[in-house]
Amino acid sequence: MSILNRETPPQFNGVDNIKLIHPQASQLANGCKIFTFDSGDQDLVRIEFIFNNLKFDTKKPLLNVATNTMLTEGTSKLNAAQIADTVDFYGAFLQVDYSYDHSQVTLYSLTKHLRTTLAVIKDILTDSIFPEKELETFVRNQQQKLQVSMQKNDFVARRIFNKALYGETIYGLGAEPEDFKSLTRADLLTHFQQMYQPANCTAIVAGKADPEILNAVNELFEGNWGEVTAVVDTKQVVADPSADRFFYQEKAGALQSAIRIGTPFVNRMHPDFPALQVLNTVLGGYFGSRLMANIREDKGYTYGIGSGITSFKKAGTFFIASEVGADVCKSAIEEIEKEVNRLKTEPVSEEELSLVRNYMLGSLLGSLENVFSHADKFKNLYFAGLDYEYYDRYTDTVKNINADRLQELANKYWNFEDFYKVVVGKY
């Protein structure tokens, strides 16, 4: 029996390539697209019904999110309690999710109970009625949550930042308390009928997706899901960013100030996106980043700071976010500027770049722990109009990018003077 020598580190193996599961594609006669990821090993399946959000209406800014959130509040056959009890009884899990570009309904179910649990989903997607009493409760609860959130500096800073970058669009306009009062059951029903149609739906099935499971999906949704009843307008308008670059909202007595700095940016469809992800990781994309080392570890201005790149269908954003002591807010922003500019003037060392490469490739591998993870990676590609070569390009970029390329990108995309800067608290 050999004894483990703890003084000898384990052998390091680099990441050669990423192997992703590809889905089987099909389409129902009513236009619903289905992508299937079959793991075949456990009697569990996840089915996501994903819908493109309707064109944003500035006069009714909450319709997309309110309609999606209230899908589980009742149908003509089942009330909210009956929906929840049925799903729970069969050990399933049901959730609704909303993002700027899409709304979705997700079911996790044991395969042996799928026909029963899936029938509940079918009822929700075809016969939601948005009861008046539940709508009143939704409005009251959401108004209270918003009022609580508006006391948080980071929440307010994010709202101001998004509005500065994207104006009165789906990406920029945050809800106001009075917006909830304008929600009506009639508007929700109309929105539901226009948006939750098979031609506007992509279903992603992951898990034990054998022929019997697919037959259950087809039988329930192909013949019994209504045809298109109205033109589905999902085009989103993206406004020009604000001419102002600095926004300050003072909070009397604030002990911390929320900082949000950034700019409109490229999204995943842009060829520079993978390389910019590396640059962002160096700056503030992981715990060992330069922003963390300087502003948290060295200066002690904050418990945490980070940067990121968000990719939407019609937009992208680069941002830096933190909450710092109110008395050091200006100093923190100066240090942020210093770190951004240092990447423009000084090449990243090979040692630091190697650490970032290993972190990024390891994170990608770690995010592929099961078939659901592979389906999630596919969604990133599919809704961006990309193919699987994207991840080949991504891994190749991470493995081979050099300091000169990072410096070139920093100079091309980052001009701190042009960044939008939001401070909420004390400055």
Coordinates of all heavy atoms in Angstrom, one line a residue, residues 93-170:
F93 N -40.7 20.1 -9.4 CA -40.4 21.5 -9.0 C -40.7 22.4 -10.2 O -40.3 22.1 -11.4 CB -38.9 21.7 -8.7 CG -38.5 23.1 -8.3 CD1 -38.9 23.7 -7.2 CD2 -37.7 23.8 -9.2 CE1 -38.5 25.0 -6.9 CE2 -37.3 25.1 -8.9 CZ -37.7 25.7 -7.8
L94 N -41.4 23.5 -10.0 CA -41.9 24.4 -11.0 C -41.4 25.8 -10.7 O -41.5 26.3 -9.6 CB -43.4 24.4 -11.1 CG -44.1 25.4 -12.0 CD1 -43.7 25.3 -13.4 CD2 -45.6 25.3 -11.8
Q95 N -40.8 26.5 -11.7 CA -40.5 27.9 -11.5 C -40.6 28.7 -12.7 O -40.6 28.2 -13.9 CB -39.0 28.0 -11.0 CG -38.0 27.6 -12.0 CD -36.5 27.7 -11.5 OE1 -36.3 27.4 -10.3 NE2 -35.6 28.0 -12.3
V96 N -40.9 30.0 -12.6 CA -40.9 30.9 -13.7 C -39.8 31.9 -13.5 O -39.4 32.3 -12.4 CB -42.3 31.7 -13.7 CG1 -43.4 30.7 -14.1 CG2 -42.6 32.4 -12.4
D97 N -39.2 32.3 -14.6 CA -38.0 33.1 -14.6 C -38.2 34.2 -15.7 O -38.7 33.9 -16.8 CB -36.7 32.4 -14.9 CG -36.4 31.4 -13.8 OD1 -36.1 31.8 -12.7 OD2 -36.5 30.2 -14.0
Y98 N -37.7 35.4 -15.4 CA -37.8 36.5 -16.3 C -36.4 37.1 -16.5 O -35.6 37.3 -15.5 CB -38.7 37.6 -15.8 CG -38.7 38.9 -16.6 CD1 -39.4 39.0 -17.7 CD2 -37.9 40.0 -16.1 CE1 -39.3 40.2 -18.5 CE2 -37.8 41.1 -16.8 CZ -38.5 41.3 -18.0 OH -38.5 42.4 -18.7
S99 N -36.0 37.5 -17.7 CA -34.8 38.2 -18.0 C -35.2 39.3 -19.0 O -36.3 39.3 -19.6 CB -33.7 37.3 -18.6 OG -34.1 36.8 -19.8
Y100 N -34.3 40.2 -19.4 CA -34.6 41.2 -20.3 C -35.1 40.7 -21.7 O -36.0 41.3 -22.3 CB -33.4 42.1 -20.5 CG -33.0 43.0 -19.4 CD1 -31.7 43.0 -18.9 CD2 -33.9 43.8 -18.8 CE1 -31.3 43.8 -17.8 CE2 -33.6 44.7 -17.7 CZ -32.3 44.6 -17.2 OH -31.9 45.4 -16.2
D101 N -34.5 39.6 -22.1 CA -34.8 39.1 -23.5 C -35.8 38.0 -23.5 O -36.5 37.9 -24.5 CB -33.5 38.7 -24.2 CG -32.5 39.8 -24.4 OD1 -33.0 40.9 -24.9 OD2 -31.3 39.6 -24.2
H102 N -35.9 37.2 -22.4 CA -36.8 36.1 -22.4 C -37.5 35.9 -21.1 O -37.1 36.4 -20.1 CB -35.9 34.8 -22.7 CG -35.1 34.8 -23.9 ND1 -33.8 35.1 -23.9 CD2 -35.5 34.7 -25.2 CE1 -33.3 35.1 -25.1 NE2 -34.3 34.8 -26.0
S103 N -38.6 35.2 -21.2 CA -39.4 34.7 -20.1 C -39.5 33.2 -20.2 O -39.7 32.7 -21.4 CB -40.8 35.3 -20.0 OG -40.7 36.7 -19.8
Q104 N -39.5 32.5 -19.1 CA -39.5 31.0 -19.2 C -40.2 30.4 -18.1 O -40.3 30.9 -17.0 CB -38.1 30.4 -19.4 CG -37.2 30.4 -18.2 CD -35.9 29.8 -18.5 OE1 -35.1 30.3 -19.4 NE2 -35.5 28.8 -17.8
V105 N -40.7 29.2 -18.4 CA -41.4 28.3 -17.4 C -40.6 27.0 -17.4 O -40.3 26.4 -18.4 CB -42.8 28.0 -17.7 CG1 -43.5 27.0 -16.7 CG2 -43.6 29.3 -17.8
T106 N -40.1 26.6 -16.2 CA -39.2 25.4 -16.1 C -39.8 24.4 -15.2 O -40.3 24.7 -14.1 CB -37.8 25.8 -15.5 OG1 -37.3 26.8 -16.4 CG2 -36.9 24.6 -15.5
L107 N -39.8 23.1 -15.6 CA -40.3 22.0 -14.8 C -39.2 21.0 -14.6 O -38.6 20.5 -15.6 CB -41.5 21.3 -15.5 CG -42.0 20.0 -14.9 CD1 -42.7 20.3 -13.6 CD2 -42.9 19.3 -15.8
Y108 N -39.0 20.6 -13.4 CA -38.1 19.5 -13.0 C -39.1 18.4 -12.5 O -39.9 18.6 -11.6 CB -37.1 19.8 -11.9 CG -36.1 20.8 -12.3 CD1 -36.3 22.1 -12.2 CD2 -34.8 20.3 -12.6 CE1 -35.3 23.0 -12.5 CE2 -33.8 21.2 -12.9 CZ -34.0 22.6 -12.9 OH -33.0 23.5 -13.2
S109 N -39.0 17.2 -13.1 CA -39.9 16.1 -12.8 C -39.3 14.7 -12.9 O -38.4 14.5 -13.8 CB -41.1 16.2 -13.6 OG -42.0 15.1 -13.4
L110 N -39.7 13.8 -12.0 CA -39.3 12.4 -12.3 C -40.0 11.9 -13.5 O -41.2 12.3 -13.8 CB -39.7 11.6 -11.1 CG -39.0 11.8 -9.7 CD1 -39.7 11.0 -8.6 CD2 -37.6 11.5 -9.8
T111 N -39.4 11.1 -14.3 CA -39.9 10.7 -15.6 C -41.2 9.9 -15.4 O -42.1 10.1 -16.2 CB -38.9 9.9 -16.4 OG1 -38.5 8.8 -15.5 CG2 -37.7 10.7 -16.7
K112 N -41.3 9.2 -14.3 CA -42.6 8.4 -14.2 C -43.8 9.2 -13.9 O -44.9 8.7 -14.1 CB -42.4 7.3 -13.0 CG -42.1 7.9 -11.7 CD -41.9 6.8 -10.6 CE -41.6 7.4 -9.3 NZ -41.4 6.3 -8.3
H113 N -43.6 10.5 -13.5 CA -44.7 11.3 -13.2 C -44.9 12.5 -14.2 O -45.7 13.4 -14.1 CB -44.6 12.0 -11.8 CG -44.6 11.0 -10.7 ND1 -45.5 10.0 -10.6 CD2 -43.8 10.9 -9.6 CE1 -45.3 9.3 -9.5 NE2 -44.2 9.8 -8.9
L114 N -44.1 12.4 -15.3 CA -44.0 13.5 -16.2 C -45.3 13.8 -16.9 O -45.7 15.0 -17.0 CB -42.9 13.3 -17.3 CG -42.7 14.5 -18.2 CD1 -42.2 15.7 -17.5 CD2 -41.8 14.1 -19.4
R115 N -46.1 12.8 -17.3 CA -47.3 13.1 -18.0 C -48.3 13.9 -17.1 O -49.0 14.8 -17.6 CB -48.0 11.8 -18.5 CG -47.3 11.2 -19.7 CD -48.0 10.0 -20.2 NE -47.3 9.5 -21.4 CZ -47.5 9.8 -22.7 NH1 -48.4 10.8 -22.9 NH2 -46.9 9.3 -23.6
T116 N -48.3 13.6 -15.8 CA -49.2 14.3 -14.9 C -48.7 15.7 -14.6 O -49.4 16.7 -14.7 CB -49.3 13.6 -13.6 OG1 -49.7 12.2 -13.8 CG2 -50.2 14.3 -12.6
T117 N -47.4 15.9 -14.4 CA -46.8 17.2 -14.0 C -46.8 18.1 -15.3 O -47.0 19.3 -15.2 CB -45.4 17.1 -13.4 OG1 -44.6 16.3 -14.3 CG2 -45.5 16.4 -12.1
L118 N -46.5 17.5 -16.4 CA -46.4 18.3 -17.7 C -47.8 18.8 -18.1 O -47.9 19.9 -18.7 CB -45.9 17.4 -18.8 CG -45.4 18.1 -20.0 CD1 -44.3 19.2 -19.7 CD2 -44.8 17.1 -21.1
A119 N -48.9 18.1 -17.7 CA -50.2 18.5 -18.0 C -50.5 19.8 -17.2 O -51.2 20.7 -17.7 CB -51.2 17.5 -17.6
V120 N -49.9 20.0 -16.0 CA -50.1 21.3 -15.3 C -49.4 22.4 -16.1 O -50.0 23.5 -16.2 CB -49.5 21.1 -13.9 CG1 -49.5 22.5 -13.2 CG2 -50.2 20.0 -13.1
I121 N -48.2 22.1 -16.6 CA -47.5 23.2 -17.4 C -48.3 23.5 -18.6 O -48.5 24.7 -19.0 CB -46.1 22.7 -17.8 CG1 -45.3 22.2 -16.6 CG2 -45.4 23.8 -18.5 CD1 -45.2 23.2 -15.5
K122 N -48.9 22.5 -19.3 CA -49.7 22.8 -20.5 C -50.9 23.7 -20.1 O -51.2 24.6 -20.9 CB -50.1 21.5 -21.0 CG -50.8 21.6 -22.4 CD -52.3 21.7 -22.3 CE -52.9 21.7 -23.7 NZ -54.0 20.8 -23.8
D123 N -51.5 23.4 -19.0 CA -52.6 24.2 -18.5 C -52.2 25.7 -18.3 O -52.9 26.6 -18.7 CB -53.2 23.6 -17.3 CG -54.6 24.0 -17.0 OD1 -55.4 24.3 -18.0 OD2 -55.0 24.2 -15.8
I124 N -51.0 25.8 -17.7 CA -50.5 27.2 -17.4 C -50.2 27.9 -18.7 O -50.6 29.1 -18.8 CB -49.2 27.1 -16.5 CG1 -49.6 26.6 -15.1 CG2 -48.5 28.4 -16.5 CD1 -48.4 26.3 -14.3
L125 N -49.6 27.3 -19.6 CA -49.2 28.0 -20.9 C -50.4 28.2 -21.8 O -50.2 29.0 -22.8 CB -48.1 27.1 -21.6 CG -46.8 27.0 -20.9 CD1 -45.8 26.2 -21.7 CD2 -46.2 28.4 -20.6
T126 N -51.5 27.6 -21.6 CA -52.6 27.8 -22.6 C -53.8 28.4 -21.9 O -54.7 28.9 -22.6 CB -53.0 26.4 -23.2 OG1 -53.4 25.5 -22.1 CG2 -51.8 25.8 -23.9
D127 N -53.9 28.4 -20.6 CA -55.1 28.8 -19.9 C -55.0 29.6 -18.7 O -55.8 29.6 -17.8 CB -56.0 27.5 -19.6 CG -57.4 27.8 -19.2 OD1 -57.9 28.8 -19.7 OD2 -57.9 27.1 -18.4
S128 N -53.9 30.3 -18.5 CA -53.7 31.2 -17.4 C -54.7 32.3 -17.4 O -55.0 32.9 -18.5 CB -52.3 31.8 -17.3 OG -51.4 30.8 -16.9
I129 N -55.3 32.6 -16.2 CA -56.4 33.6 -16.2 C -56.1 34.8 -15.4 O -56.9 35.8 -15.4 CB -57.7 32.9 -15.7 CG1 -57.6 32.4 -14.3 CG2 -58.2 31.8 -16.7 CD1 -58.9 31.9 -13.7
F130 N -55.0 34.9 -14.6 CA -54.6 36.1 -13.9 C -55.8 36.6 -13.0 O -56.3 37.7 -13.3 CB -54.1 37.2 -14.8 CG -53.1 36.7 -15.8 CD1 -53.4 36.3 -17.1 CD2 -51.8 36.5 -15.4 CE1 -52.5 35.8 -18.0 CE2 -50.8 36.0 -16.3 CZ -51.1 35.7 -17.6
P131 N -56.1 35.8 -12.0 CA -57.3 36.2 -11.1 C -57.1 37.6 -10.5 O -56.0 38.0 -10.1 CB -57.3 35.2 -10.1 CG -56.6 34.0 -10.7 CD -55.6 34.6 -11.6
E132 N -58.2 38.4 -10.4 CA -58.1 39.8 -10.0 C -57.5 39.8 -8.5 O -56.7 40.7 -8.2 CB -59.5 40.4 -10.0 CG -59.5 41.9 -9.9 CD -58.9 42.6 -11.1 OE1 -59.4 42.3 -12.2 OE2 -58.0 43.4 -11.0
K133 N -57.9 38.9 -7.7 CA -57.5 39.0 -6.3 C -56.0 38.7 -6.2 O -55.3 39.4 -5.5 CB -58.2 37.9 -5.5 CG -57.9 37.9 -4.0 CD -58.7 36.8 -3.2 CE -58.3 36.8 -1.8 NZ -59.0 35.8 -1.0
E134 N -55.5 37.8 -7.0 CA -54.0 37.5 -7.0 C -53.3 38.6 -7.6 O -52.1 38.9 -7.2 CB -53.8 36.2 -7.8 CG -54.0 34.9 -7.0 CD -55.5 34.6 -6.7 OE1 -56.3 35.3 -7.3 OE2 -55.7 33.8 -5.8
L135 N -53.9 39.3 -8.6 CA -53.2 40.5 -9.2 C -53.1 41.6 -8.1 O -52.0 42.3 -8.0 CB -54.0 41.0 -10.4 CG -53.5 42.3 -11.0 CD1 -52.0 42.1 -11.5 CD2 -54.3 42.7 -12.2
E136 N -54.1 41.8 -7.3 CA -54.0 42.8 -6.3 C -52.9 42.5 -5.3 O -52.2 43.4 -4.8 CB -55.4 42.9 -5.6 CG -56.5 43.5 -6.4 CD -57.9 43.4 -5.8 OE1 -57.9 43.0 -4.6 OE2 -58.8 43.8 -6.4
T137 N -52.8 41.2 -4.9 CA -51.8 40.8 -4.0 C -50.4 41.0 -4.6 O -49.5 41.4 -3.9 CB -52.0 39.3 -3.6 OG1 -53.3 39.1 -3.0 CG2 -50.9 38.8 -2.6
F138 N -50.2 40.6 -5.9 CA -49.0 40.8 -6.6 C -48.6 42.3 -6.6 O -47.4 42.6 -6.2 CB -49.1 40.3 -8.0 CG -47.9 40.6 -8.9 CD1 -46.8 39.9 -8.9 CD2 -48.0 41.7 -9.8 CE1 -45.7 40.2 -9.7 CE2 -46.9 42.1 -10.6 CZ -45.8 41.3 -10.5
V139 N -49.5 43.1 -6.9 CA -49.2 44.6 -6.9 C -48.7 45.1 -5.6 O -47.7 45.8 -5.4 CB -50.4 45.4 -7.4 CG1 -50.2 46.9 -7.2 CG2 -50.6 45.1 -8.9
R140 N -49.5 44.7 -4.5 CA -49.2 45.1 -3.2 C -47.8 44.6 -2.7 O -47.0 45.4 -2.2 CB -50.3 44.6 -2.2 CG -50.1 45.1 -0.8 CD -51.3 44.8 0.1 NE -51.6 43.4 0.1 CZ -52.6 42.8 -0.5 NH1 -53.4 43.5 -1.3 NH2 -52.8 41.5 -0.4
N141 N -47.5 43.4 -3.0 CA -46.2 42.8 -2.6 C -45.1 43.4 -3.3 O -44.0 43.7 -2.7 CB -46.2 41.3 -2.7 CG -47.2 40.6 -1.8 OD1 -47.6 41.1 -0.8 ND2 -47.5 39.3 -2.1
Q142 N -45.2 43.6 -4.6 CA -44.1 44.1 -5.4 C -43.9 45.6 -5.1 O -42.7 46.0 -5.1 CB -44.5 44.0 -6.9 CG -44.5 42.5 -7.4 CD -43.2 41.8 -7.2 OE1 -42.1 42.3 -7.5 NE2 -43.3 40.6 -6.6
Q143 N -44.9 46.3 -4.8 CA -44.7 47.7 -4.4 C -43.9 47.8 -3.1 O -43.0 48.6 -2.9 CB -46.0 48.4 -4.2 CG -46.7 48.8 -5.5 CD -48.0 49.5 -5.3 OE1 -48.8 49.1 -4.4 NE2 -48.4 50.5 -6.0
Q144 N -44.2 46.9 -2.1 CA -43.5 46.8 -0.9 C -42.0 46.4 -1.1 O -41.1 47.0 -0.5 CB -44.2 45.9 0.1 CG -45.5 46.4 0.6 CD -46.3 45.3 1.4 OE1 -45.8 44.2 1.5 NE2 -47.4 45.7 2.0
K145 N -41.8 45.4 -1.9 CA -40.4 45.0 -2.2 C -39.6 46.1 -2.9 O -38.4 46.3 -2.5 CB -40.5 43.7 -3.1 CG -40.9 42.5 -2.5 CD -40.9 41.3 -3.4 CE -41.3 40.0 -2.8 NZ -41.3 38.9 -3.7
L146 N -40.2 46.8 -3.8 CA -39.5 47.9 -4.4 C -39.2 49.0 -3.5 O -38.1 49.6 -3.5 CB -40.4 48.5 -5.6 CG -39.8 49.6 -6.4 CD1 -38.5 49.2 -7.0 CD2 -40.8 50.1 -7.5
Q147 N -40.1 49.3 -2.6 CA -39.8 50.4 -1.6 C -38.7 50.0 -0.7 O -37.8 50.8 -0.3 CB -41.1 50.6 -0.7 CG -42.2 51.4 -1.5 CD -43.5 51.4 -0.8 OE1 -43.7 50.8 0.3 NE2 -44.5 52.1 -1.3
V148 N -38.6 48.7 -0.3 CA -37.5 48.2 0.5 C -36.2 48.3 -0.3 O -35.1 48.7 0.2 CB -37.7 46.8 1.0 CG1 -36.4 46.2 1.6 CG2 -38.9 46.7 1.9
S149 N -36.2 47.8 -1.6 CA -35.0 47.8 -2.4 C -34.5 49.2 -2.7 O -33.3 49.4 -2.8 CB -35.3 47.1 -3.8 OG -35.6 45.8 -3.6
M150 N -35.4 50.2 -2.8 CA -35.0 51.6 -3.1 C -34.2 52.2 -1.9 O -33.6 53.3 -2.1 CB -36.2 52.4 -3.4 CG -36.8 52.1 -4.7 SD -35.8 52.4 -6.1 CE -35.8 54.2 -6.1
Q151 N -34.2 51.5 -0.7 CA -33.4 52.0 0.4 C -31.9 51.5 0.3 O -31.1 51.9 1.1 CB -34.0 51.6 1.7 CG -35.5 52.0 1.9 CD -35.6 53.5 1.7 OE1 -34.9 54.3 2.4 NE2 -36.6 53.9 0.9
K152 N -31.7 50.6 -0.6 CA -30.4 50.0 -0.8 C -29.6 50.7 -1.8 O -30.0 50.8 -3.0 CB -30.5 48.5 -1.1 CG -31.3 47.7 -0.1 CD -31.4 46.3 -0.6 CE -32.3 45.5 0.5 NZ -32.5 44.1 0.0
N153 N -28.4 51.2 -1.5 CA -27.6 52.1 -2.4 C -27.2 51.3 -3.6 O -27.2 51.9 -4.7 CB -26.4 52.6 -1.7 CG -26.7 53.6 -0.6 OD1 -27.9 54.0 -0.4 ND2 -25.7 54.0 0.2
D154 N -26.9 50.0 -3.5 CA -26.4 49.3 -4.7 C -27.6 49.1 -5.7 O -27.4 49.2 -6.9 CB -25.8 48.0 -4.3 CG -26.7 47.1 -3.6 OD1 -27.7 47.6 -3.0 OD2 -26.5 45.8 -3.6
F155 N -28.8 48.9 -5.2 CA -29.9 48.7 -6.1 C -30.2 50.0 -6.8 O -30.5 50.0 -8.0 CB -31.1 48.3 -5.2 CG -32.4 48.2 -6.0 CD1 -32.7 47.0 -6.6 CD2 -33.3 49.2 -6.1 CE1 -33.9 46.8 -7.4 CE2 -34.5 49.1 -6.8 CZ -34.8 47.9 -7.5
V156 N -30.2 51.1 -6.1 CA -30.4 52.4 -6.8 C -29.4 52.8 -7.8 O -29.6 53.3 -8.9 CB -30.5 53.5 -5.7 CG1 -30.7 54.9 -6.3 CG2 -31.7 53.3 -4.7
A157 N -28.1 52.5 -7.4 CA -27.0 52.7 -8.4 C -27.2 51.9 -9.7 O -26.9 52.5 -10.8 CB -25.7 52.4 -7.7
R158 N -27.6 50.7 -9.5 CA -27.7 49.9 -10.7 C -28.9 50.4 -11.6 O -28.8 50.4 -12.9 CB -28.0 48.4 -10.3 CG -28.1 47.5 -11.5 CD -28.2 46.0 -11.1 NE -29.3 45.7 -10.2 CZ -29.3 45.4 -9.0 NH1 -28.1 45.4 -8.3 NH2 -30.4 45.1 -8.3
R159 N -30.0 50.9 -11.0 CA -31.1 51.5 -11.8 C -30.6 52.7 -12.5 O -30.9 52.9 -13.7 CB -32.2 51.8 -10.8 CG -33.1 50.7 -10.4 CD -34.0 51.0 -9.2 NE -34.9 52.2 -9.6 CZ -36.1 52.1 -10.0 NH1 -36.7 50.9 -10.2 NH2 -36.8 53.1 -10.2
I160 N -29.9 53.6 -11.8 CA -29.4 54.8 -12.5 C -28.5 54.5 -13.6 O -28.5 55.1 -14.7 CB -28.8 55.7 -11.4 CG1 -29.8 56.2 -10.4 CG2 -28.1 57.0 -12.1 CD1 -29.2 56.9 -9.2
F161 N -27.6 53.6 -13.4 CA -26.6 53.2 -14.4 C -27.3 52.6 -15.6 O -27.0 53.0 -16.8 CB -25.7 52.1 -13.8 CG -24.6 51.6 -14.7 CD1 -23.5 52.4 -14.9 CD2 -24.7 50.4 -15.3 CE1 -22.5 51.9 -15.7 CE2 -23.7 49.9 -16.2 CZ -22.6 50.7 -16.4
N162 N -28.3 51.7 -15.4 CA -29.0 51.1 -16.6 C -29.7 52.2 -17.4 O -29.8 52.2 -18.6 CB -29.9 50.0 -16.1 CG -29.2 48.8 -15.6 OD1 -28.0 48.6 -15.9 ND2 -29.9 48.0 -14.9
K163 N -30.4 53.1 -16.6 CA -31.1 54.2 -17.3 C -30.2 55.1 -18.1 O -30.5 55.5 -19.2 CB -31.9 55.0 -16.2 CG -32.7 56.2 -16.8 CD -33.9 55.7 -17.5 CE -34.8 56.8 -18.0 NZ -35.4 57.6 -16.9
A164 N -29.0 55.4 -17.6 CA -28.0 56.2 -18.3 C -27.6 55.6 -19.6 O -27.4 56.2 -20.6 CB -26.8 56.5 -17.4
L165 N -27.4 54.3 -19.5 CA -26.9 53.6 -20.7 C -27.9 53.3 -21.8 O -27.7 53.4 -23.0 CB -26.2 52.2 -20.3 CG -24.7 52.3 -20.1 CD1 -24.3 53.2 -18.9 CD2 -24.2 50.9 -19.8
Y166 N -29.2 53.0 -21.3 CA -30.2 52.5 -22.3 C -31.5 53.2 -22.3 O -32.4 52.8 -23.0 CB -30.4 51.0 -22.0 CG -29.2 50.2 -22.2 CD1 -28.6 49.5 -21.1 CD2 -28.5 50.1 -23.4 CE1 -27.4 48.8 -21.3 CE2 -27.4 49.3 -23.6 CZ -26.8 48.7 -22.5 OH -25.7 48.0 -22.7
G167 N -31.6 54.3 -21.5 CA -32.8 55.1 -21.5 C -34.1 54.4 -21.3 O -34.1 53.4 -20.5
E168 N -35.1 54.8 -21.9 CA -36.4 54.2 -21.7 C -36.7 53.0 -22.6 O -37.6 53.0 -23.4 CB -37.5 55.2 -21.8 CG -37.4 56.3 -20.8 CD -38.6 57.2 -20.8 OE1 -39.4 57.2 -21.8 OE2 -38.8 58.0 -19.8
T169 N -35.9 51.9 -22.4 CA -36.0 50.7 -23.1 C -36.1 49.6 -22.1 O -36.0 49.8 -20.9 CB -34.8 50.4 -24.0 OG1 -33.6 50.2 -23.2 CG2 -34.5 51.7 -24.9
I170 N -36.3 48.3 -22.6 CA -36.4 47.2 -21.7 C -35.1 47.0 -20.9 O -35.2 46.5 -19.8 CB -36.7 45.9 -22.5 CG1 -37.3 44.8 -21.6 CG2 -35.5 45.4 -23.3 CD1 -37.9 43.7 -22.4

